[in-house]
Amino acid sequence: MSLPDSARQALASFEHAAGWEQRARLLMQWGERLAPLNDEEKSEANRVHGCESQVWLVAEQQDGQWRFKGASDARIIRGLLALLLVRVEGLSSAELAQLDLPGWFNQLGLGRQLSPSRSNGLNAVLQRMAQLAAGA
């Protein structure tokens, strides 16, 4: 499965980061790139359950490819969400179902920094994406 351009950019920027402090700073910067959701999009229906932080996910499908928008009230989670979104951008439902989430964050050098609760939260986001894709 090939990487979208934005995912390749993310990978390149994280490969050059030395240590957790630089990665944390990069994570915050990626989180700031997320397009803000409007109040209507931050509805209970779009909220992802299973995250300690508030996370919202909006999906649309165009020509068999998924486009997601997301938001979170927590800065680290917003960054992780941004990195997840660049990885899944334009995937089909089948590709989405096969995504190796731990593998992606390990490639970015973030795997060891993911606490169990953050890992669970990201998995909840991925499961929500799969549910949305399956229901389409």
Side-chain angles (χ1 to χ4, degrees):
M1 191 181 325
S2 66
L3 288 176
D5 286 342
S6 48
R8 273 199 290 277
Q9 289 170 6
L11 210 46
S13 62
F14 277 86
E15 280 173 353
H16 297 297
W20 169 240
E21 280 185 29
Q22 275 193 332
R23 285 193 177 97
R25 209 173 6 259
L26 269 174
L27 206 48
M28 307 286 182
Q29 290 169 354
W30 277 87
E32 289 165 12
R33 295 179 181 197
L34 284 179
L37 297 182
N38 63 37
D39 290 341
E40 200 174 284
E41 291 171 318
K42 284 187 176 181
S43 67
E44 187 59 30
N46 292 333
R47 206 164 134 241
V48 178
H49 299 279
C51 296
E52 285 182 13
S53 311
Q54 298 252 38
V55 176
W56 296 271
L57 186 68
V58 179
E60 65 176 29
Q61 193 178 24
Q62 297 172 332
D63 304 322
Q65 295 184 320
W66 285 98
R67 306 252 177 266
F68 293 97
K69 293 193 312 187
S72 174
D73 59 352
R75 291 178 70 194
I76 293 275
I77 296 298
R78 207 167 29 243
L80 293 169
L81 186 59
L83 292 168
L84 175 58
L85 294 183
V86 297
R87 180 62 190 89
V88 301
E89 185 65 29
L91 294 184
S92 68
S93 297
E95 289 169 326
L96 197 56
Q98 294 172 354
L99 182 66
D100 175 11
L101 190 61
W104 170 238
F105 284 103
N106 284 336
Q107 278 184 285
L108 292 166
L110 297 170
R112 285 196 314 240
Q113 273 77 32
L114 290 180
S115 65
S117 67
R118 283 189 186 133
S119 236
N120 290 342
L122 284 170
N123 279 317
V125 172
L126 191 60
Q127 285 173 344
R128 180 75 182 128
M129 288 175 169
Q131 285 171 350
L132 292 166

